[in-house]
Amino acid sequence: QVQLVESGGGLVQAGGSLRVSCAASGSIFSINAMGWYRQAPGKQRELVAYITSGGDTNYADSVKGRFTISRDNAKNTVYLQMNSLKPEDTAVYVCKAEVMGTTTWVSSDYWGQGTQVTVSS
């Protein structure tokens, strides 16, 4: 079994910064891509950013230049540094990891529970 646990969300004023983290644990052989999604009330879940095992990154147009995704492979952890936050960034941020487990030996997607990020104007 694999678990993803996010941390670091909270309330911040517009223009401020937050860093959210997501740690994977359990029966992990390897982790391929890791990513962050967000879902605002009444909206569909959208991809914010992802990072491959080799360090290649991709960002939604709405966060380019403001957010930075990174990972620590030794800790099975992905981070999202969010700067110049805007009220429209308010959402539940959820991480996803493509994990090959030691019990299944197949690559599957695992999701965290999410962490709330609220940006006040």
Side-chain angles (χ1 to χ4, degrees):
Q1 190 69 316
V2 175
Q3 300 82 36
L4 301 183
V5 178
E6 299 102 334
S7 60
L11 174 65
V12 64
Q13 288 189 331
S17 298
L18 275 177
R19 189 177 82 155
V20 291
S21 305
C22 173
S25 62
S27 305
I28 297 170
F29 176 74
S30 64
I31 301 178
N32 297 322
M34 302 184 81
W36 286 96
Y37 292 71
R38 67 186 181 186
Q39 187 164 18
K43 295 188 177 181
Q44 290 189 331
R45 181 175 290 184
E46 64 173 350
L47 174 66
V48 176
Y50 73 79
I51 182 168
T52 68
S53 58
D56 294 328
T57 59
N58 192 47
Y59 296 91
D61 287 342
S62 59
V63 307
K64 282 181 181 176
R66 301 188 298 122
F67 290 11
T68 302
I69 190 170
S70 61
R71 63 190 285 174
D72 184 334
N73 291 329
K75 296 181 179 180
N76 290 334
T77 299
V78 63
Y79 307 95
L80 184 68
Q81 177 67 44
M82 302 180 287
N83 299 328
S84 302
L85 282 160
K86 305 175 181 180
E88 51 263 42
D89 294 318
T90 295
V92 175
Y93 284 70
V94 185
C95 71
K96 186 181 84 168
E98 185 181 323
V99 178
M100 179 171 286
T102 59
T103 56
T104 63
W105 295 107
V106 295
S107 187
S108 300
D109 289 339
Y110 292 87
W111 293 86
Q113 294 297 309
T115 185
Q116 177 70 45
V117 172
T118 302
V119 184
S120 62
S121 57

